[in-house]
């Protein structure tokens, strides 16, 4: 089983309107709701790929109940064999936040309104830590994903990284800011920042230099997502760049979460790094190409996987005269 | 008991944002949720005035469950004696719609996004008709409020007006368009259109002429709300204009529903028309003046009630040579 942890889950709501005009009244033409938060997106992709996956994190209130119902609903009806994630979410007294995407049919642009997350109590956080410790022995890999809701200690991911390492389970951390800084110091197997998050963490704009610096700070491996340029990996086994055969047009929402799903699946299966990176790049591109934001197109994935270019890069800077 | 019927209930959600910018991402700073739909607003005002009130209509899905919880939650906590409406809503398989008001803190302006209502089945509509027929013998007055959700026959209000008249219960109809046109033909005791709805119904822009025409079409009484100009009443007992002592500044959301509450309370108590109209105008003004949209300020209501000006107007046009 692969485990994903999403501390700041959300019910992702999408409204379509003919044209968004501030201070006017709009009739919403279509409403969709979907379980959200990075780790839940990762789990949905893994389940669609046929992996057994368990999700934990926090869920509460009416929106939390809706999220849980949708999470385990079979996408094509109750009679299909499509696997769905196993729900190990921790109930909380607060209410799970909504994120609202208002899609303007006239321009295709999206206006995003994100509710604040619920306040998590110390007891609720310790319950989650206990749930993770109970699940880790059955996990082949674990991903710790997204931002922290109010009330969760900023070192939460560092604690979870240590729990995973104590259970000898490969751990991937996908967050940003101070939670990433603290989490990296606990020596996760892999971090997956984008270029901006990596630069913010290390102070270096150049991805190669920044990835090396992130490893120096504690990450065993770093896979940086560089948008249309694909992925850059710096690992104990070597360094690689992985790129799709051609730029893919579409909606980049969820592309990073699909890359995490590809990496996790490869780690759980014991694939080598080029295979892991090919899977991550192809899934990411298949997500950009899909008509529904955050979904991936299986045939695009199958078509792109063998066409991903993986080239080696040096994990250490070329030797030369060092400074004083 | 006073009965209010709201066929197109809603969960009214309000977001506050620092400034709404299309195609940007916003952090919502505050979220509030409240039972919505005209008849539920009327019921809340009546309950706050100390009246025993029962609400019916449709509720379904997670939003319907939240709406029902909030409807009977005591506003100042479980230990207060504040009365709350009695819930006689009919469960439906669809999901109650949300209306979202996005309040821009920079300008105070509101952007409104209204979801479509759930599709109501024929069985669900007939269940509601049965619930109303069961409740009507205990009701001192009934209000039929708001738009129709998809699936409910356009003559729904006409059927409910006939049911109320068969039970000898005074019936107030507050809707617009074709449901108002059909409902009026069933001879309700009172309709409460605003100036635009009255003009759309009758084709006459001038409120006095339009109100007389609405009576000719079947309404026993017409109370038209004319915004800051107060109310115009044309009834079997006479005609009146009722105005607040001075224009009230604030948010007009819910002012019309508060006027309906004032009229209903007066009808149920057997008050004369000037008293009913004074109550309706004072409640309406106290709602505009309240800091929270749709609430009313009790002290403003008490202060304004004796200061409302009620003047008689003729229910028939002055006699003169008639046309060919």
């Amino acid at each position: 089983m692969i485990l994903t942890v999403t501390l700041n889950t959300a019910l992702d709501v999408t409204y379509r309107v003919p044209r968004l005009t501030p201070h006017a009244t709009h009739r919403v033409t279509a409403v969709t709701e979907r379980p959200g938060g990075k780790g839940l997106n990762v789990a949905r992709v893994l389940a669609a790929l046929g992996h057994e996956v368990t999700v934990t994190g926090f869920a509460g209130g009416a929106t939390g109940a809706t999220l849980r119902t949708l999470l385990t609903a079979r996408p094509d009806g109750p009679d299909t064999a499509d696997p769905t994630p196993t729900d190990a979410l921790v109930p909380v007294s607060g209410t799970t936040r909504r994120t609202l995407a208002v899609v303007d049919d006239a321009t295709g642009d999206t206006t995003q309104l994100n509710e604040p997350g619920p306040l998590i109590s110390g007891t609720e956080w310790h319950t989650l830590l206990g749930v993770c410790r109970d699940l880790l022995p059955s996990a082949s890999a674990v991903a710790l994903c997204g931002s922290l809701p109010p009330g969760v200690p900023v070192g939460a991911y560092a604690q979870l990284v240590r729990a995973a390492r104590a259970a000898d389970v490969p751990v991937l951390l996908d967050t940003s800011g101070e939670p990433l800084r603290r989490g990296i110091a606990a020596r996760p197997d892999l971090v997956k920042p984008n270029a901006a998050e990596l630069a913010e963490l290390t102070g270096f704009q150049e991805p190669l230099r920044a990835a090396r610096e992130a490893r120096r700070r504690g990450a065993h491996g770093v896979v940086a997502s560089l948008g249309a340029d694909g992925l850059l990996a710096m690992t104990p086994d070597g360094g690689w760049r992985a790129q799709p055969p051609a730029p893919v047009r579409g909606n980049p929402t969820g592309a990073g979460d699909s890359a995490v799903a590809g990496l996790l699946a490869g780690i759980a299966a014991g694939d080598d790094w080029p295979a892991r990176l090919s899977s991550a790049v192809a899934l990411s591109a298949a997500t950009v190409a899909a008509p529904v934001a955050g979904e991936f197109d299986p045939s695009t994935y199958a078509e792109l996987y063998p066409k991903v270019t993986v080239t080696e890069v040096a994990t250490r800077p070329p030797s030369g005269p060092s400074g004083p």
Side-chain angles (χ1 to χ4, degrees), chain A:
Chain A
M1 167 273 278
I2 298 173
L3 177 64
T4 76
V5 181
T6 314
L7 298 181
N8 211 1
T9 54
L11 181 66
D12 287 345
V13 182
T14 303
Y15 281 177
R16 299 197 78 94
V17 297
R19 181 183 285 278
L20 182 65
T21 311
H23 315 149
T25 294
H26 305 76
R27 208 166 57 83
V28 175
T29 53
V31 183
T32 54
E33 292 189 334
R34 179 175 102 140
K38 278 169 176 285
L40 269 60
N41 299 339
V42 170
R44 194 169 39 234
V45 173
L46 287 169
L49 289 171
H51 290 272
E52 206 184 310
V53 56
T54 298
V55 300
T56 189
F58 302 111
T63 45
T66 301
L67 181 148
R68 298 182 83 153
T69 302
L70 294 174
L71 181 68
T72 52
R74 297 196 179 274
D76 299 312
D79 297 331
T80 64
D82 292 340
T84 62
T86 300
D87 175 354
L89 293 163
V90 171
V92 290
S93 64
T95 295
T96 297
R97 69 197 174 110
R98 280 171 292 217
T99 72
L100 175 65
V102 183
V103 180
D104 185 324
D105 279 336
T107 63
D109 287 320
T110 297
T111 304
Q112 190 73 35
L113 295 154
N114 296 334
E115 297 185 9
L119 182 66
I120 303 299
S121 73
T123 307
E124 289 163 347
W125 159 241
H126 282 102
T127 301
L128 182 119
L129 206 51
V131 165
C132 288
R133 288 191 175 120
D134 289 347
L135 289 168
L136 279 166
S138 326
S140 53
V142 57
L144 312 174
C145 302
S147 57
L148 300 180
V152 168
V154 70
Y157 283 132
Q159 280 185 268
L160 289 167
V161 167
R162 284 192 289 271
R165 292 180 56 78
D168 206 20
V169 178
V171 53
L172 185 157
L173 176 61
D174 184 10
T175 185
S176 58
E178 191 59 21
L180 173 60
R181 193 180 305 274
R182 303 273 190 116
I184 260 188
R187 305 190 58 74
D189 294 276
L190 192 59
V191 293
K192 198 222 63 63
N194 60 33
E197 289 162 351
L198 191 59
E200 192 211 342
L201 174 75
T202 61
F204 297 131
Q205 293 299 322
E206 205 282 299
L208 197 62
R209 188 172 178 191
R212 286 176 183 138
E213 172 65 16
R215 290 195 66 207
R216 200 189 62 75
R217 295 191 181 198
H220 288 276
V222 176
V223 173
S225 51
L226 308 176
D229 287 341
L231 301 175
L232 168 68
M234 290 279 123
T235 83
D237 306 315
W240 293 272
R241 275 188 195 278
Q243 284 181 288
V248 180
R249 304 190 69 168
N251 187 335
T253 304
D257 301 331
S258 291
V260 169
L263 294 169
L264 267 185
I267 291 169
D271 292 343
D272 61 16
W273 275 105
R276 294 176 189 177
L277 294 168
S278 294
S279 174
V281 167
L283 272 175
S284 193
T287 302
V288 173
V292 177
E295 306 286 318
F296 77 96
D297 179 51
S299 63
T300 306
Y301 171 56
E303 184 201 324
L304 288 180
Y305 179 85
K307 296 186 186 162
V308 174
T309 316
V310 183
T311 51
E312 254 185 280
V313 296
T315 53
R316 290 164 188 280
S319 55
S322 45

